[in-house]
Amino acid sequence: MNINKLFETGNKDVYIIAEVSQTHDGSLGQAHAFIDAAAKTGVDAIKFQTHIADAESTLEEPFRVKFSYEDNTRYDYWKRMEFTREQWVGLKNHAEEKGLDFLSSPFSLEAVDLLEEIGIVGWKVGSGEVYSKYLLERMAQTGKPVIISSGMSTYENIKEHYDSIKKYSDKVGIVQCTTSYPSSFEAVGLNVIDKLIADYDCPIGLSDHSGTIYPALAAVARGAKIVEVHITLSPYMFGPDVSSSVTVDELTELVKGVRAITTMLNHEVDKTVLPKQQADLKQIFAKGLYAAGPIAAGEEITLEKVRMKKPLKGIPAEQYESVIGKKAVVAIDANTPIESSMLEQ
């Protein structure tokens, strides 16, 4: 599904995003490998992050958690994560050739301009970047869909971000997110999805950092229309997001689960009447009332004189109380289904 369909009136499908983040570890080859892997899982989009170190960081920026063996500062790490314009074009073209929407979260105006120039189809805003109002509005001004993450926002903040985008674009999506890597099940916040669905007339979803498939499936069952999960080619890869990522095989199962849940949600079953197939099966599985032994004409029917047997013929077994106490008007042979016409009315 293309991101624009997500915002069409009456859309009932779920938009699934595979988030690579920096798990490519600055390797262009690895970034392309992620595209090939994600395409096989059935997701709708693959998402990267576009960092331009000189535009967003300084040599003084510390690591939140020191994980790198080769970067002395966060700036050094962002610098190593950079791709050139031509490399971003190559990644975008590769994704589109594989039938995927290409998304990348920008962290500076320069990154927004670069991504807009190469023709990105929509915007996913990280939890921290929603407070860069100028950045948020610059993305919205392109008129392309904007999906914002609520990981560092209160309900009041979410409303502010939403209103900022709505001034320029009608295509706004909101995803519940817990900024924790990995996040616990207790912190996922499915209740937040319920509230956002109630409060906003726009696609709502979940950006999950649990490293499992379960929160996404639960979110879709509650009505989420957007699912984003981090992906890794192996749980042994290097990087700060690997512990909060699912593997390719797990993502494949997640996609199957989301599509199955969506199908179930979009096809209501009418239990006021039985479909023909189930009505036919009822004839096989349900039971009727049969004579336990010969019953003479004029003889009163007692519980001991009937048996409940398959297949369902004559009077259904569940109506046995309507038969007890009545007299037979004809002789009934043993193992004969008892019909209403055989009894006094």
Side-chain angles (χ1 to χ4, degrees), residues 206-340:
L206 176 70
S207 178
D208 179 44
H209 296 149
S210 72
T212 73
I213 69 174
Y214 309 120
L217 298 177
V220 172
R222 292 173 88 118
K225 290 290 179 271
I226 306 167
V227 165
E228 180 185 59
V229 292
H230 285 253
I231 180 177
T232 181
L233 301 181
S234 164
Y236 301 105
M237 289 188 75
F238 175 79
D241 297 314
V242 173
S243 64
S244 55
S245 301
V246 298
T247 65
V248 176
D249 287 344
E250 288 170 330
L251 183 57
T252 300
E253 286 304 304
L254 185 153
V255 172
K256 289 179 181 177
V258 168
R259 302 308 185 206
I261 292 169
T262 302
T263 298
M264 289 183 274
L265 290 174
N266 293 340
H267 291 79
E268 297 181 350
V269 173
D270 181 5
K271 292 291 282 187
T272 58
V273 294
L274 284 178
K276 182 180 185 303
Q277 181 184 13
Q278 293 184 29
D280 291 344
L281 288 174
K282 183 179 178 181
Q283 296 298 120
I284 299 173
F285 287 102
K287 297 176 180 178
L289 291 177
Y290 288 73
I295 300 175
E299 188 175 347
E300 183 177 319
I301 307 296
T302 64
L303 188 58
E304 292 73 24
K305 294 177 181 177
V306 296
R307 293 290 183 271
M308 301 175 184
K309 297 185 176 184
K310 300 176 185 176
L312 171 55
K313 290 186 177 181
I315 299 173
E318 64 263 29
Q319 298 178 18
Y320 76 95
E321 291 178 319
S322 67
V323 172
I324 304 305
K326 289 188 175 181
K327 292 181 179 179
V329 296
V330 295
I332 306 173
D333 294 332
N335 288 319
T336 299
I338 300 175
E339 306 279 355
S340 295

